[in-house]
Amino acid sequence: MYLRSIATAVPPNSFTQKSCWDAMREGDLLSTLKPRSAALMEKILMNGSSGIERRNLALDSIESSFGHGAEELNNSFEREAPPLASAALLEALRKSGRLPADVDALFICTCSGYLCPGVSSHVAEQTGLRHDVFLADLVGLGCGAAIPMLRAAQGFLAANPQAVVATVAVEICSAAFFANDDPGVLISLCLFGDGAAAAIWTGQGVEGDWQAGNFTTTHRPAEREKIRFVNADGKLKNQLHRAVPDLAAEAVAGLYALRQGEPDQVLAHSGGRDVVDALENALPFKLTETREVLRDHGNMSSPSVLFALERRLAGGNPDDKRLWLTAFGAGFAAHACELWR
């Protein structure tokens, strides 16, 4: 399948790591935590070693994320995810020179909230897609979901080569924010951001167009409990284990060995500083765009790898002929694909 355009969107409110810490320190949050928990958050937010400078969050203030119940959190996902996904999609359509009526199928991936009908139904309404557009929601694949979503889109285009397909990865990670003394919960509160990335694809192209394919996947069910969402009184609680960076690097290195060409750059999910460090130790590349996305937006879960792709393509590197994308997360699962022209 051939890439026609890619676009991203983030909420308008941007928060520096320092402003997040100041809000937590001046509010009531730290008083509810053990001193060790408060020290962990201060270390992540204030010592500059997280690799994150700021994050866009669908919040009016950091304080507004404290103390919400499960229903309030999911309501925020329902309120914020469709318009953010729609903004990314409309910009991708504009860049591709196409209209909403041209879209034959819409694939959306997310893991930070749940809607039935899915986010795709709301996005189709908000963007004015046709009533007969094929809608598909991929839910529960975690941070690695963007690449399986692209693989599903490739399957649709293989069966319908004349079609125009839109893909959107959207996460409102702030809709899963709450605080307790669990390290995984606290780390998530300090690292995750909100964002959406959309792309337009066709089954046919010409020489010089970017083509996507060579999809690969690995699943490690034995490692499932090391990184996943669990239900905590109806809330999505991020369960993280310290082994995740090494686990990700080992899985990604195995997929990289299956590549069909030598890439000019690797673009990866920006899971966090330690994850990116581990990936760079396992791969023969400096993950420049991945680190830039982490710096500017934090870990946005599934859209992150597509933010890195957009950044690379926007750089206009004339010598780029092949790119290798990888994303990973809950499952434990890792995925990869190649773009070439």
Side-chain angles (χ1 to χ4, degrees):
M1 66 179 183
Y2 294 86
L3 179 64
R4 307 268 66 101
S5 67
I6 186 169
T8 58
V10 293
N13 291 337
S14 179
F15 300 88
T16 65
Q17 294 291 75
K18 182 181 184 301
S19 68
C20 292
W21 171 250
D22 289 342
M24 294 172 185
R25 181 169 50 83
E26 295 167 5
D28 296 329
L29 176 64
L30 297 185
S31 64
T32 68
L33 301 176
K34 296 177 180 178
R36 182 175 180 179
S37 298
L40 173 63
M41 297 185 74
E42 182 178 18
K43 178 182 178 182
I44 296 172
L45 293 170
M46 291 300 293
N47 72 358
S49 64
S50 69
I52 300 170
E53 292 182 3
R54 58 177 58 245
R55 296 174 285 160
N56 291 82
L57 302 171
L59 300 170
D60 292 329
S61 66
I62 297 299
E63 295 92 330
S64 66
S65 67
F66 302 161
H68 284 178
E71 183 175 352
E72 290 175 292
L73 290 171
N74 201 64
N75 285 346
S76 68
F77 176 83
E78 183 172 358
R79 181 179 65 251
E80 303 293 346
L84 190 62
S86 296
L89 175 54
L90 289 172
E91 178 61 13
L93 284 168
R94 185 195 68 78
K95 291 170 70 174
S96 74
R98 288 172 170 79
L99 299 173
D102 297 326
V103 176
D104 299 298
L106 170 63
F107 292 81
I108 291 185
C109 67
T110 192
C111 69
S112 47
Y114 177 74
L115 296 179
C116 182
V119 177
S120 66
S121 173
H122 299 265
V123 171
E125 177 187 26
Q126 292 181 12
T127 59
L129 302 188
R130 302 192 318 264
H131 71 88
D132 63 343
V133 67
F134 175 73
L135 304 178
D137 292 80
L138 284 74
V139 180
L141 294 179
C143 292
I147 293 178
M149 173 182 65
L150 299 186
R151 193 171 191 172
Q154 183 196 46
F156 184 92
L157 283 168
N160 304 275
Q162 303 298 323
V164 175
V165 172
T167 59
V168 185
V170 58
E171 303 291 2
I172 307 298
C173 296
S174 61
F177 280 0
F178 66 98
N180 61 27
D181 289 301
D182 183 281
V185 170
L186 298 177
I187 292 170
S188 299
L189 195 57
C190 296
L191 298 186
F192 280 85
D194 301 337
I200 306 300
W201 306 86
T202 58
Q204 299 176 339
V206 299
E207 185 177 355
D209 291 342
W210 284 102
Q211 184 176 358
N214 301 338
F215 289 90
T216 53
T217 291
T218 181
H219 297 278
R220 312 291 174 85
E223 310 292 352
R224 183 180 295 131
E225 296 305 314
K226 289 186 170 62
I227 177 169
R228 59 169 297 194
F229 267 141
V230 297
N231 190 307
D233 296 323
K235 299 177 183 179
L236 293 173
K237 174 186 172 185
N238 205 8
Q239 187 164 288
L240 296 172
H241 190 276
R242 68 185 65 183
V244 166
D246 290 339
L247 180 61
E250 186 269 335
V252 167
L255 294 179
Y256 186 74
L258 302 175
R259 69 195 184 282
Q260 295 189 16
E262 294 303 316
D264 297 294
Q265 178 61 307
V266 168
L267 304 167
H269 165 55
S270 51
R273 181 208 63 188
D274 292 347
V275 170
V276 179
D277 287 347
L279 292 178
E280 287 186 339
N281 287 333
L283 300 170
F285 286 92
K286 294 296 182 184
L287 304 181
T288 304
E289 292 81 9
T290 298
R291 287 193 183 275
E292 290 175 353
V293 171
L294 181 65
R295 178 195 67 202
D296 296 339
H297 301 291
N299 179 350
M300 293 174 288
S301 189
S302 64
S304 297
V305 66
L306 300 179
F307 270 69
L309 174 61
E310 182 198 39
R311 192 164 292 220
R312 183 72 180 190
L313 296 180
N317 302 283
D319 296 330
D320 280 353
K321 299 300 181 185
R322 185 175 292 266
L323 303 170
W324 193 78
L325 277 61
T326 186
F328 39 84
F332 177 84
H335 318 277
C337 69
E338 296 179 66
L339 270 70
W340 65 93
R341 61 178 178 180

